[in-house]
Amino acid sequence: RLTRLVNDLLDLSAIEAGEFKLRIEEVDINEIIRLCVIKFETKINNKKLKVDVLLEDNKLYVAADKDRITQVVTNLVDNAIKYSDIG
């Protein structure tokens, strides 16, 4: 966790300096969502939450920086779990 925080600070510094580069590529956003929900399965179960993941297609490709979009989805799911009541 500390490593992630340090890396986030380094990224922020690069953004402020105008030196931050995104690596835009075609990524399967559905796979990122699936993996993220699986990663939080223990926390979801501990809070007795029900999570339904409804995806229109098996694969959905978007142009994005894979690491950054994974970070966004991870933050969204983590916050949703953190701020949901038990059950």
Side-chain angles (χ1 to χ4, degrees):
R1 183 173 175 184
L2 182 58
T3 300
R4 194 176 99 198
L5 288 172
V6 169
N7 287 334
D8 287 347
L9 286 173
L10 290 172
D11 289 344
L12 183 58
S13 177
I15 290 168
E16 289 175 346
E19 299 173 358
F20 188 79
K21 303 282 189 249
L22 293 174
R23 293 182 307 261
I24 303 298
E25 60 183 317
E26 195 172 85
V27 295
D28 181 3
I29 191 71
N30 288 350
E31 185 64 15
I32 290 171
I33 293 168
R34 281 187 203 98
L35 291 173
C36 186
V37 171
I38 289 168
K39 179 169 68 174
F40 284 102
E41 189 172 7
T42 301
K43 281 186 173 185
I44 291 167
N45 291 335
N46 287 344
K47 286 197 81 172
K48 297 176 176 49
L49 300 174
K50 179 182 177 193
V51 176
D52 291 323
V53 179
L54 305 172
L55 306 170
E56 285 191 32
D57 294 315
N58 190 35
K59 295 182 182 281
L60 177 62
Y61 291 97
V62 297
D65 181 308
K66 185 176 182 178
D67 293 335
R68 297 297 158 223
I69 199 69
T70 299
Q71 184 179 17
V72 168
V73 173
T74 298
N75 289 346
L76 287 170
V77 173
D78 189 36
N79 285 337
I81 293 166
K82 192 180 300 180
Y83 296 107
S84 292
D85 294 331
I86 293 176

